[in-house]
Amino acid sequence: MTRPLTWLFTAAFALCTGCAGGPKWELKDPGPLPAEQRAILVAAEKHYRKGEPFVQLRQQIVADPVAAWWWTRMVVRDVVSVREGKVASAEQGSTFGEELGQRIREGRADTDDGAALLRATAGKKDPVEARALGELHELGVAAVPCLIVDLARHPQGFNRQLGVDLLARIGEAALPMVAQQLAASEDPAQRRTAADACADMFVRQGVLLDGAISQLLRLATDDDYGVRAAACAGLAHGGDVGTVTLLRVVRTDADAFVRRSAARALGQHRSAATAAMLCDYLQRCQTEHDTKGCEAAQMALQEHARTRGVRSLEAWRTYAATLAAAAKPGSARAVGR
C-alpha cells in the first residue's frame, strides 16, 4: 500500500517522467490541502486500495475542486504506472515496442504513436488499472479538469492519448470542458486532441453524441490541416451529418492529407453516394499521381464493400453503379429490403 500522502508527490512525478528530451513540462498546482481534506483523502485511499466502498468520503472529495483534483491525479497515477508496465512488456521481443518505448521515454512520441501503443497493449487486464478506471467512472465530471490539464494538454503524445482515452470513458459529461479548454484553444495540438476525444466518445459510449458531433463538424473547418484531418477521422462514426461533411471535404479541401483522412472515414458510410464519391476521388488521385491518395481510396472502397484486394477504377465504378441500381425504388433488391 502507498504510504499516506506520498502519492501527493509521486502522482506528479509519474506524469512528468519520460519528458527529459521533450518540451519543458510542469504540472499545475491545484492548490493546498487543509489538514481536514488531507485526512479525508488518506482515509479514502485506504478503502480504495482494499477495494472497499467509500461513497460518503468520495462525496466529500468531489465537493471540493482542489481535493477532487488531487484525488484524480492519484487515480491517474495508477493508470500511468500500469500502462508503463505494459509498454515495458510490449518492448520485450518487439522491435516496434522497444523503439516506441524509447521515444516515449525521450518525449518524442506524438499522438499517433501514443494511440498505436495503446492499441498494442489493449486487452491486457490488470486489477489496479480496472480499479482506477472504475474510480474515474465514479468521479465523472469532477475528474475532468485534472484529465484535461494533466494529460490532454501534455506535450507528450502518449500522455495526451491517455487523456483522450480517459475523457472518452467519462463521455458526455466531459464535453463542455473539452469544448472550452481544448477545442477553443489557440494551440492546434490541443484542438486535435479535442477532435480525438470527441471521436473516441462514439466508440466508448456506443452512441452518437450531439455535442461531440457538433465539435467535430466545427473542427472539420479548422485552419490547421492536422485538426481537420483528426475531425474527419472522428466523423467516420458521425452518422448522416458526418457523411455530408466528409463528402464535401473529399471534394473541396485544399490539403491532400485531409482529403485522405476524409476518404478513409467514408469507408464506414455505406451508401451508393459515398461509393461513387470514393471512385471520383480515386480517379482524381490517379490523375494527380497521388500514390497515398490512391491507397486511401482503395482501402476505403474495400472497407465499404467489405472485401479485400485492390480493384481497377472501372471495377469500382461497376460496384458503385450496382449499389445505385439496387437503391432505386422498385428494384428487386430494394423491394427485398
Side-chain angles (χ1 to χ4, degrees), residues 78-115:
D78 281 357
V79 179
V80 171
S81 297
V82 170
R83 295 196 180 182
E84 282 180 345
K86 291 180 180 180
V87 171
S89 177
E91 289 176 21
Q92 296 178 4
S94 168
T95 303
F96 164 78
E98 182 176 356
E99 178 183 353
L100 187 51
Q102 182 63 29
R103 293 181 68 181
I104 287 171
R105 287 190 293 273
E106 295 175 357
R108 295 185 294 110
D110 62 21
T111 303
D112 290 336
D113 293 327

Short mmCIF file of all heavy atoms in Angstrom, two decimals, residues 78-115:
data_model
loop_
_atom_site.label_atom_id
_atom_site.label_comp_id
_atom_site.label_asym_id
_atom_site.label_seq_id
_atom_site.Cartn_x
_atom_site.Cartn_y
_atom_site.Cartn_z
N ASP A 78 -2.12 5.61 -10.99
CA ASP A 78 -2.25 4.15 -11.07
C ASP A 78 -2.37 3.69 -12.51
O ASP A 78 -1.74 2.70 -12.92
CB ASP A 78 -3.48 3.69 -10.28
CG ASP A 78 -3.23 3.63 -8.78
OD1 ASP A 78 -2.09 3.90 -8.36
OD2 ASP A 78 -4.18 3.30 -8.04
N VAL A 79 -3.17 4.42 -13.31
CA VAL A 79 -3.32 4.05 -14.73
C VAL A 79 -1.98 4.19 -15.45
O VAL A 79 -1.58 3.30 -16.22
CB VAL A 79 -4.39 4.92 -15.41
CG1 VAL A 79 -4.52 4.54 -16.88
CG2 VAL A 79 -5.74 4.77 -14.71
N VAL A 80 -1.29 5.30 -15.21
CA VAL A 80 0.00 5.53 -15.87
C VAL A 80 0.99 4.43 -15.50
O VAL A 80 1.69 3.88 -16.36
CB VAL A 80 0.57 6.91 -15.48
CG1 VAL A 80 2.00 7.07 -15.99
CG2 VAL A 80 -0.31 8.02 -16.06
N SER A 81 1.05 4.08 -14.22
CA SER A 81 2.01 3.06 -13.78
C SER A 81 1.75 1.72 -14.46
O SER A 81 2.68 1.05 -14.91
CB SER A 81 1.93 2.91 -12.26
OG SER A 81 2.29 4.10 -11.60
N VAL A 82 0.47 1.35 -14.53
CA VAL A 82 0.13 0.08 -15.16
C VAL A 82 0.47 0.10 -16.64
O VAL A 82 1.07 -0.84 -17.18
CB VAL A 82 -1.37 -0.24 -14.97
CG1 VAL A 82 -1.78 -1.43 -15.83
CG2 VAL A 82 -1.65 -0.53 -13.50
N ARG A 83 0.13 1.20 -17.31
CA ARG A 83 0.36 1.23 -18.76
C ARG A 83 1.84 1.39 -19.10
O ARG A 83 2.28 0.94 -20.15
CB ARG A 83 -0.49 2.33 -19.38
CG ARG A 83 -1.97 2.01 -19.23
CD ARG A 83 -2.87 2.80 -20.12
NE ARG A 83 -4.26 2.42 -19.89
CZ ARG A 83 -5.28 2.92 -20.56
NH1 ARG A 83 -5.07 3.82 -21.52
NH2 ARG A 83 -6.51 2.53 -20.31
N GLU A 84 2.61 2.00 -18.20
CA GLU A 84 4.05 1.99 -18.41
C GLU A 84 4.59 0.57 -18.32
O GLU A 84 5.50 0.18 -19.05
CB GLU A 84 4.74 2.88 -17.37
CG GLU A 84 4.64 4.36 -17.66
CD GLU A 84 5.33 5.22 -16.62
OE1 GLU A 84 5.64 4.67 -15.53
OE2 GLU A 84 5.56 6.40 -16.88
N GLY A 85 3.98 -0.23 -17.43
CA GLY A 85 4.37 -1.63 -17.36
C GLY A 85 4.01 -2.38 -18.62
O GLY A 85 4.76 -3.25 -19.08
N LYS A 86 2.88 -2.03 -19.23
CA LYS A 86 2.50 -2.65 -20.50
C LYS A 86 3.46 -2.24 -21.61
O LYS A 86 3.74 -3.03 -22.52
CB LYS A 86 1.07 -2.24 -20.86
CG LYS A 86 0.01 -2.84 -19.95
CD LYS A 86 -1.39 -2.41 -20.36
CE LYS A 86 -2.45 -3.00 -19.47
NZ LYS A 86 -3.82 -2.58 -19.86
N VAL A 87 3.95 -1.00 -21.54
CA VAL A 87 4.96 -0.57 -22.51
C VAL A 87 6.19 -1.45 -22.40
O VAL A 87 6.73 -1.95 -23.39
CB VAL A 87 5.34 0.90 -22.29
CG1 VAL A 87 6.53 1.28 -23.16
CG2 VAL A 87 4.17 1.81 -22.60
N ALA A 88 6.64 -1.65 -21.15
CA ALA A 88 7.83 -2.48 -20.94
C ALA A 88 7.59 -3.89 -21.45
O ALA A 88 8.48 -4.51 -22.05
CB ALA A 88 8.19 -2.49 -19.46
N SER A 89 6.38 -4.41 -21.23
CA SER A 89 6.05 -5.75 -21.71
C SER A 89 6.05 -5.81 -23.23
O SER A 89 6.54 -6.76 -23.84
CB SER A 89 4.69 -6.17 -21.17
OG SER A 89 4.30 -7.43 -21.67
N ALA A 90 5.51 -4.75 -23.86
CA ALA A 90 5.46 -4.71 -25.32
C ALA A 90 6.85 -4.62 -25.92
O ALA A 90 7.10 -5.08 -27.03
CB ALA A 90 4.61 -3.53 -25.78
N GLU A 91 7.77 -4.01 -25.17
CA GLU A 91 9.14 -3.85 -25.68
C GLU A 91 9.85 -5.19 -25.79
O GLU A 91 10.71 -5.39 -26.64
CB GLU A 91 9.94 -2.93 -24.76
CG GLU A 91 9.52 -1.48 -24.82
CD GLU A 91 10.29 -0.64 -23.82
OE1 GLU A 91 11.37 -1.09 -23.40
OE2 GLU A 91 9.82 0.44 -23.46
N GLN A 92 9.52 -6.13 -24.90
CA GLN A 92 10.22 -7.40 -24.88
C GLN A 92 9.89 -8.21 -26.12
O GLN A 92 8.75 -8.58 -26.36
CB GLN A 92 9.84 -8.19 -23.62
CG GLN A 92 10.28 -7.49 -22.34
CD GLN A 92 9.85 -8.25 -21.10
OE1 GLN A 92 9.30 -9.34 -21.21
NE2 GLN A 92 10.13 -7.70 -19.94
N GLY A 93 10.88 -8.47 -26.93
CA GLY A 93 10.69 -9.25 -28.14
C GLY A 93 10.00 -8.51 -29.25
O GLY A 93 9.57 -9.13 -30.22
N SER A 94 9.85 -7.20 -29.13
CA SER A 94 9.16 -6.43 -30.15
C SER A 94 9.99 -5.22 -30.54
O SER A 94 10.23 -4.34 -29.72
CB SER A 94 7.78 -5.98 -29.65
OG SER A 94 7.23 -5.01 -30.51
N THR A 95 10.44 -5.17 -31.79
CA THR A 95 11.19 -4.01 -32.26
C THR A 95 10.33 -2.76 -32.20
O THR A 95 10.78 -1.68 -31.79
CB THR A 95 11.66 -4.23 -33.71
OG1 THR A 95 12.44 -5.42 -33.76
CG2 THR A 95 12.49 -3.05 -34.18
N PHE A 96 9.05 -2.91 -32.57
CA PHE A 96 8.12 -1.78 -32.51
C PHE A 96 8.01 -1.26 -31.08
O PHE A 96 8.12 -0.07 -30.81
CB PHE A 96 6.74 -2.21 -33.00
CG PHE A 96 5.63 -1.26 -32.63
CD1 PHE A 96 5.44 -0.08 -33.31
CD2 PHE A 96 4.78 -1.56 -31.57
CE1 PHE A 96 4.41 0.79 -32.96
CE2 PHE A 96 3.77 -0.70 -31.21
CZ PHE A 96 3.58 0.47 -31.91
N GLY A 97 7.79 -2.19 -30.14
CA GLY A 97 7.63 -1.78 -28.75
C GLY A 97 8.87 -1.14 -28.19
O GLY A 97 8.81 -0.15 -27.47
N GLU A 98 10.04 -1.70 -28.51
CA GLU A 98 11.30 -1.15 -28.00
C GLU A 98 11.53 0.26 -28.52
O GLU A 98 11.88 1.17 -27.78
CB GLU A 98 12.45 -2.06 -28.41
CG GLU A 98 13.80 -1.60 -27.88
CD GLU A 98 14.90 -2.57 -28.23
OE1 GLU A 98 14.60 -3.62 -28.83
OE2 GLU A 98 16.06 -2.26 -27.93
N GLU A 99 11.31 0.45 -29.82
CA GLU A 99 11.52 1.76 -30.41
C GLU A 99 10.54 2.78 -29.86
O GLU A 99 10.91 3.90 -29.49
CB GLU A 99 11.38 1.69 -31.94
CG GLU A 99 11.54 3.04 -32.63
CD GLU A 99 11.33 2.94 -34.13
OE1 GLU A 99 11.19 1.80 -34.64
OE2 GLU A 99 11.29 3.98 -34.78
N LEU A 100 9.27 2.38 -29.77
CA LEU A 100 8.25 3.31 -29.29
C LEU A 100 8.44 3.61 -27.80
O LEU A 100 8.28 4.76 -27.37
CB LEU A 100 6.86 2.74 -29.53
CG LEU A 100 5.67 3.66 -29.24
CD1 LEU A 100 5.86 5.01 -29.91
CD2 LEU A 100 4.38 3.01 -29.71
N GLY A 101 8.81 2.60 -27.02
CA GLY A 101 9.08 2.83 -25.62
C GLY A 101 10.20 3.84 -25.42
O GLY A 101 10.13 4.71 -24.56
N GLN A 102 11.26 3.72 -26.25
CA GLN A 102 12.36 4.67 -26.16
C GLN A 102 11.90 6.07 -26.53
O GLN A 102 12.27 7.07 -25.89
CB GLN A 102 13.50 4.24 -27.09
CG GLN A 102 14.74 5.13 -27.04
CD GLN A 102 15.39 5.11 -25.67
OE1 GLN A 102 15.30 4.11 -24.95
NE2 GLN A 102 16.05 6.20 -25.31
N ARG A 103 11.07 6.19 -27.54
CA ARG A 103 10.57 7.50 -27.96
C ARG A 103 9.72 8.14 -26.87
O ARG A 103 9.77 9.35 -26.64
CB ARG A 103 9.76 7.38 -29.25
CG ARG A 103 10.60 6.97 -30.45
CD ARG A 103 9.77 6.88 -31.71
NE ARG A 103 9.29 8.19 -32.13
CZ ARG A 103 8.53 8.38 -33.19
NH1 ARG A 103 8.14 7.35 -33.91
NH2 ARG A 103 8.14 9.58 -33.52
N ILE A 104 8.92 7.31 -26.18
CA ILE A 104 8.10 7.82 -25.09
C ILE A 104 8.97 8.32 -23.95
O ILE A 104 8.76 9.41 -23.41
CB ILE A 104 7.13 6.73 -24.60
CG1 ILE A 104 6.03 6.53 -25.65
CG2 ILE A 104 6.51 7.10 -23.25
CD1 ILE A 104 5.15 5.35 -25.37
N ARG A 105 10.02 7.57 -23.59
CA ARG A 105 10.90 7.99 -22.51
C ARG A 105 11.63 9.28 -22.84
O ARG A 105 11.93 10.09 -21.97
CB ARG A 105 11.90 6.87 -22.19
CG ARG A 105 11.28 5.68 -21.47
CD ARG A 105 12.35 4.73 -20.98
NE ARG A 105 13.05 4.09 -22.09
CZ ARG A 105 12.65 2.98 -22.69
NH1 ARG A 105 11.54 2.38 -22.29
NH2 ARG A 105 13.33 2.46 -23.67
N GLU A 106 11.91 9.48 -24.12
CA GLU A 106 12.62 10.68 -24.54
C GLU A 106 11.68 11.83 -24.88
O GLU A 106 12.12 12.91 -25.26
CB GLU A 106 13.49 10.36 -25.77
CG GLU A 106 14.61 9.36 -25.47
CD GLU A 106 15.37 8.98 -26.72
OE1 GLU A 106 14.98 9.45 -27.83
OE2 GLU A 106 16.35 8.22 -26.61
N GLY A 107 10.39 11.59 -24.75
CA GLY A 107 9.42 12.65 -25.03
C GLY A 107 9.25 12.95 -26.50
O GLY A 107 8.84 14.05 -26.88
N ARG A 108 9.54 11.98 -27.38
CA ARG A 108 9.46 12.22 -28.82
C ARG A 108 8.26 11.54 -29.46
O ARG A 108 8.13 11.55 -30.68
CB ARG A 108 10.74 11.73 -29.52
CG ARG A 108 11.98 12.50 -29.11
CD ARG A 108 13.21 12.05 -29.91
NE ARG A 108 13.58 10.68 -29.62
CZ ARG A 108 13.46 9.67 -30.47
NH1 ARG A 108 12.95 9.85 -31.66
NH2 ARG A 108 13.85 8.45 -30.13
N ALA A 109 7.40 10.92 -28.67
CA ALA A 109 6.24 10.23 -29.23
C ALA A 109 5.11 11.21 -29.47
O ALA A 109 4.80 12.02 -28.61
CB ALA A 109 5.79 9.12 -28.28
N ASP A 110 4.51 11.16 -30.65
CA ASP A 110 3.38 12.05 -30.93
C ASP A 110 2.07 11.32 -30.67
O ASP A 110 2.04 10.20 -30.17
CB ASP A 110 3.44 12.61 -32.35
CG ASP A 110 3.36 11.51 -33.41
OD1 ASP A 110 2.88 10.40 -33.09
OD2 ASP A 110 3.78 11.77 -34.54
N THR A 111 0.96 11.99 -30.98
CA THR A 111 -0.35 11.42 -30.66
C THR A 111 -0.58 10.10 -31.38
O THR A 111 -1.11 9.15 -30.80
CB THR A 111 -1.46 12.42 -31.03
OG1 THR A 111 -1.22 13.64 -30.33
CG2 THR A 111 -2.83 11.89 -30.64
N ASP A 112 -0.19 10.00 -32.64
CA ASP A 112 -0.40 8.76 -33.38
C ASP A 112 0.39 7.62 -32.75
O ASP A 112 -0.07 6.49 -32.68
CB ASP A 112 0.01 8.93 -34.84
CG ASP A 112 -0.95 9.84 -35.59
OD1 ASP A 112 -2.10 9.96 -35.14
OD2 ASP A 112 -0.55 10.43 -36.60
N ASP A 113 1.63 7.92 -32.29
CA ASP A 113 2.42 6.90 -31.61
C ASP A 113 1.72 6.43 -30.34
O ASP A 113 1.67 5.24 -30.04
CB ASP A 113 3.80 7.46 -31.23
CG ASP A 113 4.65 7.78 -32.44
OD1 ASP A 113 4.53 7.07 -33.44
OD2 ASP A 113 5.44 8.73 -32.37
N GLY A 114 1.19 7.39 -29.57
CA GLY A 114 0.51 7.03 -28.34
C GLY A 114 -0.69 6.16 -28.60
O GLY A 114 -0.94 5.18 -27.90
N ALA A 115 -1.46 6.49 -29.63
CA ALA A 115 -2.63 5.69 -29.97
C ALA A 115 -2.21 4.29 -30.39
O ALA A 115 -2.85 3.30 -30.02
CB ALA A 115 -3.41 6.38 -31.09
#
